[in-house]
Amino acid sequence: MSTMKSVRTGGVDKIDVVDVERPVPGPKDALVRIRACGICGTDVTFLHMGGIPARAHLGGELIPVALGHEPAGEVVEVGAEVDGLKAGDRVVVNPQDAPTGIIGCGGKFGGMSEYLLIENAEVGKSVAVFPDTVPFDVASLNEPMAVSRHAVNRSEAGPGDKVVVFGAGPIGLGAAIWLKLRGVEHVVVADVIPSRLEKALAVGADAVINSAEEDVAARLTELHGQSANALGQPRPGTDIFIDAAGAPVVFNTVVQSAKWHAKLVMVAVQKKGEIDLGGMLRSELTLIASQGYPTEIFEVTPELVEHQERFAKLISHRVPFTEAARAFELALTPGAAEKVVVTLDD
């Protein structure tokens, strides 16, 4: 039996690097040697919990989770019935397509492993091939950039719209990039960390707001002009607000700042907090929830390839797999890292 190393949750805020059986592909499967895998906020959530509740014991006993749902790698073995895929192909993965559960999110397999089994491998459904001109670490951004793309698609932003994105983490910055590539006239990014705001400008945002130091509504009025809500009260001319931060203060800032018929797209997971629903009436604010990537997982791949240098700026730390504990420690420490990608080289 061949074994491989795989990362899973250990105790609270700890990982375990374990030896597990290396998967053997069946006739419909492919085996991918992982070369890079990003760390996501969802991984951090699992680590804070120390695993996930077993279905039979919801709220009770925790079971370990195989981590990693942002993998990129190269095909090393292909089942006899798989079409359009061969050994040596570089691929990104749709973690939600796996029949044994979402890869790295409670499913049987995790992408933070030396090898990953792609069950029922199908190009355009479970994997997409990308050229060798794109580094594996940049390719691993495919999954989070699909999350960002879905939020932008849900916003239906057009060239004439004025948009603000709250949260300059990878999802927020990804949304800013997609908005600009979509031809949106003016995109602002708001955050409380100056280095993240610098990164937002570097990837193409038209302006930034430090919401810890500046009056958001007043600054948006300067940038987007003055409009009004349904009662005629003055409000910034911002058409679309995207919440990629998940803090209750963001939600309430939007409610207080929204003009008549503004839209709020919620892509971050909101923490519990008081929300002024009555305030939404004053602008007839439309709330749009954005979850995952129903169609976007490989819609983004060609543009990720084309604009790879722009997307590469999102990666703040590249850490070798042999130092996986340090990589997750960085991701667990608030403000220490923006986007950590674990690399598995020769």
Side-chain angles (χ1 to χ4, degrees):
M1 179 187 82
S2 295
T3 62
M4 66 172 186
K5 296 199 179 298
S6 182
V7 175
R8 68 182 188 189
T9 54
V12 173
D13 289 344
K14 288 187 171 60
I15 62 161
D16 283 335
V17 181
V18 294
D19 287 309
V20 297
E21 188 175 349
R22 176 172 152 178
V24 177
K28 297 180 185 296
D29 308 328
L31 188 67
V32 174
R33 180 182 168 222
I34 301 303
R35 297 293 298 274
C37 188
I39 299 178
C40 171
T42 308
D43 297 316
V44 172
T45 300
F46 289 141
L47 287 169
H48 285 333
M49 293 166 60
I52 56 171
R55 283 187 183 156
H57 310 280
L58 284 174
E61 179 192 350
L62 290 167
I63 57 171
V65 183
L67 292 171
H69 58 272
E70 300 179 1
E74 56 190 324
V75 175
V76 291
E77 214 176 317
V78 178
E81 296 174 30
V82 177
D83 290 324
L85 210 55
K86 64 184 186 304
D89 282 344
R90 295 174 167 224
V91 292
V92 286
V93 175
N94 179 1
Q96 296 192 10
D97 189 61
T100 51
I102 298 174
I103 292 167
C105 292
K108 183 178 180 181
F109 302 108
M112 195 69 73
S113 304
E114 292 180 302
Y115 293 87
L116 175 65
L117 185 70
I118 308 298
E119 304 162 282
N120 298 336
E122 187 178 334
V123 174
K125 188 169 181 287
S126 55
V127 295
V129 178
F130 67 93
D132 60 10
T133 53
V134 182
F136 287 105
D137 56 357
V138 178
S140 76
L141 296 171
N142 192 89
E143 195 271 356
M145 291 307 96
V147 174
S148 298
R149 177 66 160 256
H150 184 53
V152 170
N153 286 348
R154 290 282 285 154
S155 79
E156 299 182 326
D161 284 320
K162 300 176 182 70
V163 185
V164 59
V165 179
F166 289 92
I171 301 301
L173 293 180
I177 293 172
W178 293 130
L179 287 161
K180 293 309 294 183
L181 290 177
R182 197 179 173 111
V184 171
E185 177 188 335
H186 199 274
V187 178
V188 181
V189 174
D191 202 291
V192 297
I193 301 173
S195 62
R196 290 189 171 195
L197 296 174
E198 288 172 20
K199 184 73 66 75
L201 292 170
V203 300
D206 297 292
V208 294
I209 299 173
N210 186 328
S211 51
E213 298 176 357
E214 299 176 86
D215 181 317
V216 173
R219 187 82 177 97
L220 284 174
T221 300
E222 285 176 22
L223 294 164
H224 290 165
Q226 187 169 295
S227 188
N229 65 10
L231 303 181
Q233 296 166 322
R235 294 292 184 266
T238 307
D239 301 291
I240 297 166
F241 301 81
I242 296 179
D243 174 20
V249 66
V250 169
F251 215 104
N252 288 320
T253 297
V254 173
V255 171
Q256 292 157 18
S257 307
K259 70 173 187 177
W260 187 46
H261 287 174
K263 293 191 278 192
L264 166 59
V265 179
M266 181 179 68
V267 61
V269 178
Q270 268 288 335
K271 319 299 185 286
K272 289 181 180 176
E274 294 291 322
I275 292 169
D276 182 7
L277 294 173
M280 294 177 70
L281 293 172
R282 293 193 287 275
S283 57
E284 295 190 339
L285 178 67
T286 299
L287 173 60
I288 301 166
S290 177
Q291 168 69 38
Y293 34 84
T295 61
E296 290 85 357
I297 185 66
F298 301 134
E299 177 187 319
V300 303
T301 310
E303 286 174 87
L304 189 65
V305 172
E306 183 182 351
H307 302 283
Q308 59 173 294
E309 289 175 12
R310 197 168 184 177
F311 286 101
K313 293 175 182 175
L314 301 186
I315 302 172
S316 62
H317 295 75
R318 295 165 177 83
V319 180
F321 187 74
T322 51
E323 298 175 35
R326 180 170 71 87
F328 280 93
E329 191 179 321
L330 278 167
L332 280 163
T333 306
E338 288 148 18
K339 184 64 182 180
V340 180
V341 175
V342 174
T343 57
L344 297 87
D345 299 318
D346 292 327

